[in-house]
Amino acid sequence: MRENRTTHTTDTTRSTDTLEVTGGGGGAHRARSPFRRTMLRKVLPAVAAAGIGVAGFAGLAHGGEASDATAGGGHAAARTTLSRDSTATVTTRAAGTGSLREAAAADFPTWGTRWVVHATADINSPSVGMINKSAPGQDRITADYQVDTGHKVCEGSACSTFMAHITGPVTGFLSVVAVDIPEDRLPGIPVKGGPQPPQPGGSRQEMLNRAATWLTANNGAQVPYSQAEVWKDGYRQDCSGYVSMALGLPTPGTNTVGLATNRALTRPISVGELAPGDLLIDAAGDNNTRHVVIFEKWNNDAHSSYTAYEQRGGHGTDHRTLTYGLPGGDAEFKPYRPVKFGD
């Protein structure tokens, strides 16, 4: 789980609710300096999307997005100064109405070295293997479900209560902290004994209503734009955090590449199919150029412009006429439909 990092060293204290990630032989990971962690993360192979940007950069042409998300409410104020956008590539392995294992399986990147894979969804259970034995992020993991253990595991300022059941390269349970994603849980992967990820169903109007709340949420004014800050509801204040809020995704929200490529969240459609609540996404470039907006309605029968909700740099939440993705507009924008609408 990727997260913006603070400048302090790893907290190695224990409590009944917060546990360190254990390394080989049952010992705790040795505390590493934030500089070393940053360098390790920067040299990881690009796994889904590349781009380096300064977090918090405002006044962008489209608004941009944060490349790293703050994970968990306890780290809402965490900052990053330089980061790499990293998105898990979710690939459905099977479909149907079978067991949890048959319902979904996906590949995700990892970071760091020598993460212990456990026999059960308990950080204190015996080790059954290890990933990234010799190099940071050398292994991708395949997960078919995850468990909310209720016990927080932290590495530095990154924390999660979730453990993923992985089927490769080792079979067992791995803390989601080891997974190189913005969220504190695996997007699109079923939660055993807990809330399920977004499923078909849900109201387009409810989504638009949620989007409209940020127009006046700041004491009657719009929520300001930021790639580093999170709003009071726990969502990142950039374009993809805003759309994640409107869709009801886990806080602090996924990023623009995730919204475009994760087929558990969206699917491509044609411009002619656009309906209220659909998305137009520019997933190219880096975190300073990517952008996503929420389609509300066509402005005329010629479909030469539309009204949309967006969170944009230099302004914040907006509700305005756009032409992104239309002839004569920005051709980088492509239309997508949230799968939760079921059509």
Side-chain angles (χ1 to χ4, degrees), residues 39-52:
M39 292 305 294
L40 286 175
R41 305 298 286 280
K42 286 171 68 179
V43 301
L44 293 179
V47 292
I52 298 176

Side-chain angles (χ1 to χ4, degrees), residues 189-274:
I189 299 301
V191 177
K192 187 175 181 179
Q196 297 295 305
Q199 298 295 325
S203 166
R204 292 175 179 272
Q205 189 59 51
E206 287 172 356
M207 177 189 177
L208 295 175
N209 290 345
R210 285 193 296 269
T213 62
W214 273 27
L215 290 169
T216 57
N218 186 24
N219 295 319
Q222 71 270 23
V223 173
Y225 179 89
S226 173
Q227 293 186 3
E229 301 281 348
V230 296
W231 190 240
K232 299 171 185 178
D233 54 13
Y235 289 95
R236 209 172 50 253
Q237 293 170 219
D238 60 7
C239 60
S240 53
Y242 173 61
V243 172
S244 296
M245 178 277 295
L247 284 171
L249 301 180
T251 58
T254 189
N255 61 20
T256 300
V257 173
L259 289 169
T261 62
N262 186 344
R263 291 296 163 258
L265 299 179
T266 65
R267 65 176 180 86
I269 59 172
S270 68
V271 170
E273 293 178 280
L274 281 167

Side-chain angles (χ1 to χ4, degrees), residues 56-336:
F57 185 84
L60 310 173
H62 295 318
E65 61 164 342
S67 58
D68 283 319
T70 302
H75 300 282
R79 299 288 187 275
T80 184
T81 55
L82 192 65
S83 59
R84 176 180 61 78
D85 182 49
S86 179
T87 306
T89 301
V90 178
T91 305
T92 301
R93 298 292 189 185
T97 57
S99 66
L100 280 174
R101 289 192 181 187
E102 294 172 337
D107 294 333
F108 294 89
T110 60
W111 68 277
T113 59
R114 303 183 67 79
W115 295 99
V116 172
V117 179
H118 295 271
T120 67
D122 182 349
I123 202 70
N124 295 313
S125 64
S127 170
V128 294
M130 184 177 293
I131 65 168
N132 299 351
K133 289 184 179 180
S134 58
Q138 71 182 98
D139 294 326
R140 293 180 68 88
I141 57 106
T142 301
D144 54 3
Y145 68 90
Q146 57 192 322
V147 177
D148 188 351
T149 67
H151 297 287
K152 186 181 293 184
V153 172
C154 295
E155 170 67 10
S157 58
C159 296
S160 177
T161 61
F162 287 81
M163 293 192 74
H165 180 262
I166 65 174
T167 58
V170 181
T171 299
F173 289 85
L174 177 70
S175 172
V176 172
V177 173
V179 185
D180 196 7
I181 57 174
E183 299 91 340
D184 66 347
R185 68 203 71 186
L186 301 181
I189 299 301
V191 177
K192 187 175 181 179
Q196 297 295 305
Q199 298 295 325
S203 166
R204 292 175 179 272
Q205 189 59 51
E206 287 172 356
M207 177 189 177
L208 295 175
N209 290 345
R210 285 193 296 269
T213 62
W214 273 27
L215 290 169
T216 57
N218 186 24
N219 295 319
Q222 71 270 23
V223 173
Y225 179 89
S226 173
Q227 293 186 3
E229 301 281 348
V230 296
W231 190 240
K232 299 171 185 178
D233 54 13
Y235 289 95
R236 209 172 50 253
Q237 293 170 219
D238 60 7
C239 60
S240 53
Y242 173 61
V243 172
S244 296
M245 178 277 295
L247 284 171
L249 301 180
T251 58
T254 189
N255 61 20
T256 300
V257 173
L259 289 169
T261 62
N262 186 344
R263 291 296 163 258
L265 299 179
T266 65
R267 65 176 180 86
I269 59 172
S270 68
V271 170
E273 293 178 280
L274 281 167
D278 288 336
L279 308 177
L280 288 110
I281 304 175
D282 175 1
D286 61 24
N287 63 298
N288 291 328
T289 61
R290 293 188 294 261
H291 195 46
V292 54
V293 302
I294 303 170
F295 179 91
E296 183 193 23
K297 62 183 179 180
W298 292 109
N299 292 336
N300 53 49
D301 292 339
H303 290 186
S304 60
S305 69
Y306 56 86
T307 302
Y309 291 94
E310 67 174 332
Q311 183 76 358
R312 60 187 178 95
H315 180 84
T317 316
D318 207 351
H319 184 219
R320 62 176 182 153
T321 293
L322 295 173
T323 59
Y324 298 156
L326 304 182
D330 191 329
E332 294 293 335
F333 282 81
K334 309 299 180 186
Y336 295 84

